[in-house]
């Protein structure tokens, strides 16, 4: 694996920390800020930004996507950066949304069914 980036960038640092935590051997190809190498332009032709992780012939761009990729590729080495998969959390999310809707409907009906005590206004003559 090769990681292209500048050591000052926090986005590159995020990817480097993920590689170090998972104990993945990688080569860091440092580039100067403001310059774009041919390898960077070939690896990320759309945005032309770092960080870019090259695994084999496959370039992976964006730091969060790199962290997710490292987490998926290096399953054997704990800890997992993303312990809850989105598919597993969807039923819980759906339950939460339905509970919120139920509470809103209950509050709406409650305001019509149970009359609230209101202060009587004084009539001035």
């Amino acid at each position: 694996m090769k990681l292209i980036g500048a050591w000052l960038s926090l986005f590159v640092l995020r990817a480097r920390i993920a590689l170090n935590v998972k104990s993945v051997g990688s080569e860091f190809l440092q580039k100067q800020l403001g310059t774009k190498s041919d390898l960077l332009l070939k690896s990320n032709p759309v945005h032309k930004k770092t960080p870019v992780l090259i695994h084999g012939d496959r370039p992976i761009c964006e730091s969060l996507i790199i962290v997710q990729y490292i987490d998926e590729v290096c399953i054997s080495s704990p800890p997992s950066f993303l312990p809850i998969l989105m598919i597993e959390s969807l039923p819980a999310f759906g339950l939460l949304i339905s509970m919120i809707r139920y509470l809103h409907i209950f509050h709406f009906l409650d305001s019509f069914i149970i009359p609230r005590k209101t202060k009587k206004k004084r009539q001035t003559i």
Side-chain angles (χ1 to χ4, degrees):
M1 288 190 189
K2 297 178 185 178
L3 181 66
I4 304 171
W7 68 273
L8 289 174
S9 171
L10 295 177
F11 301 108
V12 176
L13 186 62
R14 178 187 292 161
R16 289 184 73 184
I17 289 172
L19 287 168
N20 287 335
V21 167
K22 290 287 192 170
S23 301
V24 177
S26 64
E27 179 184 354
F28 180 63
L29 303 174
Q30 185 174 346
K31 73 167 204 73
Q32 298 294 325
L33 289 173
T35 61
K36 302 193 185 308
S37 65
D38 293 334
L39 182 61
L40 175 66
L41 295 175
K42 187 176 116 182
S43 302
N44 191 358
V46 176
H47 299 292
K48 300 175 182 133
K49 294 182 181 178
T50 59
V52 176
L53 180 73
I54 301 173
H55 187 212
D57 294 336
R58 180 185 310 165
I60 298 116
C61 307
E62 302 292 329
S63 62
L64 288 175
I65 297 172
I66 291 172
V67 170
Q68 181 180 3
Y69 180 78
I70 292 168
D71 195 35
E72 291 174 0
V73 168
C74 306
I75 295 173
S76 60
S77 58
S80 178
F81 300 122
L82 308 168
I84 299 174
L85 296 175
M86 193 60 158
I87 295 171
E88 294 173 356
S89 66
L90 283 178
F93 182 71
L95 179 64
L96 178 67
I97 293 297
S98 62
M99 287 174 59
I100 290 172
R101 286 182 182 162
Y102 173 75
L103 291 175
H104 280 292
I105 290 171
F106 182 72
H107 179 69
F108 178 74
L109 293 176
D110 185 41
S111 63
F112 285 107
I113 295 171
I114 303 171
R116 304 280 182 217
K117 292 183 180 179
T118 58
K119 293 182 180 179
K120 292 184 179 181
K121 293 182 181 179
R122 290 186 181 177
Q123 292 180 353
T124 56
I125 300 178

